[in-house]
Amino acid sequence: MDFLIDAWDFNQHPATQLQTPSEATKNTWFHFQRDVEGLTEWLTQAGIPEPLIDAVLEEDTRPRFQRLPDGFMLLLRGVNLNTGESPEDMLSLRILYYKGALYSFRKRPFLSIAKLREQLQQQMGPESLHDFIVALIEQINLRIEDVVSSAEERLEAIEGEGFDDTASVQVKLTALHRRLLRLNRFIRPQLAALEKLSTETEKIMTPEFHQWLINERDTTQRLFEQIDLMLEQV
């Protein structure tokens, strides 16, 4: 099972790592490398309908939320913090919550997932699948916030340099504008997806976790507004 990166059982706390998972059961999380051969067959055997398999393995996606009879599908984007990459080239993460089990799919290393896996290994991670979903969105927002803060500092530095060298300033502003536009391209639909997620999960999440989810939606709203404001300044 080269396509399986990690698997955890949340039926008890702390969660336990599954060494040789053979099938999906309630309250388990499976994290997959989506471009490795054999994954489609495994998901089919796990009872995942073909249209859902196609959706989570599709090559090019934008953030969105889709409610399902037995759960939901959530497609997210996070900033690309891999070595040598540009943060605004946002990475895709596909989440499928189906019949009480959680599946996530990545193509390139996703730092937010890596952080949660590290916490779980230290027995300090999320206590349930719902807790995991909220913690994951929080980790994604934290890293977007770092990139947005860096862009704000860059804009302030450009303003502080003055406008004596118009050509040089233009080059810097153009580069910053392009970066902000690429972030905005995915943050806008991501906010809409989280709006729907927070509405649809109100009945299945505890009030505490649902409130944390609303808080993260509000954080995404704030980040979107910050990006929008900087675009106007540029």
Side-chain angles (χ1 to χ4, degrees), residues 53-71:
I53 296 175
D54 291 342
V56 295
L57 299 184
E58 186 180 355
E59 188 58 34
D60 189 24
T61 63
R62 287 170 61 83
R64 67 184 177 94
F65 172 86
Q66 180 181 346
R67 186 176 66 174
L68 307 169
D70 295 298

Side-chain angles (χ1 to χ4, degrees), residues 164-176:
D164 294 334
D165 187 350
T166 307
S168 174
V169 170
Q170 182 65 47
V171 170
K172 295 174 183 178
L173 287 175
T174 299
L176 183 57

Side-chain angles (χ1 to χ4, degrees), residues 15-224:
T16 56
Q17 193 170 21
L18 299 174
Q19 300 300 328
T20 55
S22 57
E23 61 181 14
T25 57
K26 280 190 175 182
N27 299 315
T28 53
W29 166 53
F30 294 86
H31 185 45
F32 296 110
Q33 181 73 27
R34 64 178 174 86
D35 57 348
V36 174
E37 188 176 350
L39 177 55
T40 299
E41 290 75 16
W42 191 93
L43 293 172
T44 300
Q45 292 176 3
I48 308 298
E50 184 178 352
L52 293 182
I53 296 175
D54 291 342
V56 295
L57 299 184
E58 186 180 355
E59 188 58 34
D60 189 24
T61 63
R62 287 170 61 83
R64 67 184 177 94
F65 172 86
Q66 180 181 346
R67 186 176 66 174
L68 307 169
D70 295 298
F72 62 82
M73 180 174 64
L74 179 66
L75 308 183
L76 297 172
R77 288 276 177 152
V79 290
N80 187 353
L81 299 179
N82 292 317
T83 304
E85 302 286 346
S86 299
E88 66 272 15
D89 292 335
M90 300 185 78
L91 301 175
S92 175
L93 183 71
R94 295 90 188 274
I95 304 292
L96 177 63
Y97 183 73
Y98 188 71
K99 293 187 175 180
L102 188 69
Y103 309 84
S104 59
F105 306 83
R106 69 130 209 232
K107 187 172 184 179
R108 288 181 285 175
F110 209 92
L111 190 58
S112 297
I113 288 283
K115 181 64 176 179
L116 292 179
R117 291 175 63 199
E118 179 184 327
Q119 291 176 356
L120 287 169
Q121 288 163 359
Q122 296 172 351
Q123 298 188 346
M124 299 170 57
E127 300 180 3
S128 67
L129 288 187
H130 293 166
D131 190 7
F132 180 92
I133 293 168
V134 174
L136 174 59
I137 296 170
E138 178 186 26
Q139 289 292 328
I140 290 173
N141 276 338
L142 284 172
R143 282 153 184 80
I144 295 174
E145 192 163 20
D146 286 343
V147 172
V148 171
S149 295
S150 177
E152 284 183 322
E153 292 172 3
R154 180 62 176 154
L155 182 56
E156 290 174 4
I158 294 173
E159 289 177 330
E161 292 171 3
F163 300 96
D164 294 334
D165 187 350
T166 307
S168 174
V169 170
Q170 182 65 47
V171 170
K172 295 174 183 178
L173 287 175
T174 299
L176 183 57
H177 187 252
R178 186 181 300 115
R179 169 172 289 190
L180 291 170
L181 281 176
R182 292 169 81 172
L183 284 173
N184 195 56
R185 175 190 175 196
F186 293 113
I187 299 299
R188 183 187 294 271
Q190 188 136 304
L191 175 59
L194 294 179
E195 286 274 9
K196 291 182 180 179
L197 174 67
S198 62
T199 300
E200 296 291 343
T201 56
E202 183 174 8
K203 295 180 181 179
I204 65 173
M205 280 190 173
T206 65
E208 179 185 5
F209 285 137
H210 186 252
Q211 184 57 56
W212 281 114
L213 182 60
I214 291 175
N215 292 347
E216 291 308 318
R217 179 207 63 191
D218 291 346
T219 297
T220 306
Q221 173 77 45
R222 175 175 55 81
L223 291 169
F224 171 71

